[in-house]
Structure formats: C-alpha cells, structure tokens
Amino acid sequence: MTTPSTRLHDYLPARFSTAAARHWVPSSSPGKSSSPLRFFADDRGFVELLRMEPGTVMPLHRHTGEIHAYNLSGTRKLCTGELIGPGDYVYEPPGNTDWWKIVGDEPMLALVIVMGTVEFLGPGGVVSGRASASSQWAEYERHCRSLGVATPDLRDR
C-alpha cells in the first residue's frame, strides 16, 4: 500500500501555458507564424498553434511521424483538392508527403501536433530543411531573446 503524497505538485502533473505568456514566432516564410505550446523530450515532436495568411503555401514536405491538425479558423486546400475548414480535423500518417495553400479571405489558425520531424523537400525530393522539436525550440529561444523576454519553458523533461 502506498501513502498519498502531501505535496501538491504530486497531484498536479499537468503543465499549462496562458495566452498572455505566449508569443507568435514569425517564420522565414512570409505569411506563416506559430505559437509553440509544447516541445516533447528526446526530439519526439511538438505542439503549436499555426497561423497562415491567405495565399500562403505550405511547401512540399514529408512527415517522419504522425500529424494531427484541427482547423480553428480559415481554410486550406490540400494538394489533393480537399478543402479543410473550421472544425475539420486532418490525420497524416508517418511518411505522408504533401503541400497545401491557404484559400479564402481569412487567415488559417490550426492546432497542430507534430510527432517526429517535418522534412521540406526541394527538386528531386532532396531534403532542403527540417523542423523538429529541437529546431523549433531553438527558433523560439532566438525569438524571445530578440524581444528581450524570458523564454517560457515549454519542454518536457
């Protein structure tokens, strides 16, 4: 039999991030920004709010792990022609390769859970860039430093 702990943190394993403490990190791609919510340990993945302006294209990319994306607002058109609007959910299995574009007049905002790495593909399918938990964390730290604010620790240990 175990004895219940009297320390409050033993009962509160949850971590939270308030809207007031979050920052939008602009991407090197115009029209795209993200607000990190969590970075998983061992570079397993990350969770973010993704915001993209109308007309912005998410270039050809491949996922090494699964992706879960829930559209909160705006619409994106997948390379296969489907329109994903508010309230729609997309699951992408490991190995999925795609591209998509924001359509309509409203920015797209989506809650995205990325497991593994996103590999951006150039001509001939050559990997031209990668987005992983560690690369996204480094970008987030740089952005917070540029604002002169402390970087909220959103990493799992």
Side-chain angles (χ1 to χ4, degrees):
M1 182 166 117
T2 59
T3 305
S5 174
T6 57
R7 295 184 314 196
L8 183 58
H9 67 77
D10 288 345
Y11 293 102
L12 299 174
R15 304 275 168 45
F16 59 90
S17 170
T18 63
R22 279 197 297 275
H23 304 284
W24 284 96
V25 181
S27 169
S28 58
S29 302
K32 178 183 167 193
S33 59
S34 64
S35 182
L37 299 173
R38 198 88 201 133
F39 298 94
F40 300 131
D42 302 321
D43 222 16
R44 289 187 346 254
F46 55 95
V47 181
E48 69 181 7
L49 290 172
L50 176 63
R51 183 173 63 199
M52 295 176 69
E53 299 300 320
T56 304
V57 173
M58 177 63 78
L60 185 64
H61 60 280
R62 176 177 53 230
H63 303 284
T64 66
E66 62 187 35
I67 303 293
H68 301 268
Y70 182 80
N71 239 59
L72 298 163
S73 63
T75 304
R76 62 184 170 129
K77 184 175 183 177
L78 304 181
C79 60
T80 51
E82 293 91 357
L83 293 175
I84 307 301
D88 291 342
Y89 164 80
V90 175
Y91 167 76
E92 299 180 49
N96 189 66
T97 302
D98 67 339
W99 64 269
W100 38 272
K101 180 179 183 174
I102 307 308
V103 296
D105 299 327
E106 184 181 3
M108 185 221 51
L109 181 64
L111 172 65
V112 183
I113 301 168
V114 177
M115 302 307 296
T117 299
V118 180
E119 298 176 324
F120 294 95
L121 304 174
V126 174
V127 175
S128 60
R130 289 183 172 84
S132 65
S134 58
S135 71
Q136 296 300 97
W137 172 254
E139 189 175 317
Y140 186 50
E141 279 188 309
R142 277 192 299 276
H143 179 70
C144 288
R145 258 194 320 276
S146 76
L147 296 176
V149 299
T151 305
D153 194 354
L154 305 175
R155 296 174 294 177
D156 285 341
R157 301 279 183 225

